[in-house]
Amino acid sequence: MVLAHVSLSYFQGGIEFTLAAQTAAPGNDNIYVNYAGIKMQSLLTQSMFELF
């Protein structure tokens, strides 16, 4: 889970937003934590492209 408040004071006159995201992967082994992290990175990258 990620919860972040972002303040870009010099970008386009100033932008602030709060981002909350959660991912999950099936299974309870440690490798699935890695899979959830990869899904999270993909979700955040896609969100930034859509935002800007």
Side-chain angles (χ1 to χ4, degrees), residues 1-50:
M1 180 173 200
V2 170
L3 177 61
H5 182 80
V6 179
S7 177
L8 304 172
S9 56
Y10 295 105
F11 183 76
Q12 297 180 349
I15 294 176
E16 288 189 48
F17 58 93
T18 300
L19 179 69
Q22 180 178 349
T23 61
N28 59 1
D29 199 3
N30 285 338
I31 192 68
Y32 295 105
V33 174
N34 187 44
Y35 295 152
I38 291 168
K39 287 172 63 176
M40 177 67 72
Q41 183 61 57
S42 177
L43 176 65
L44 294 175
T45 299
Q46 179 183 352
S47 298
M48 290 299 110
F49 279 118
E50 290 180 15

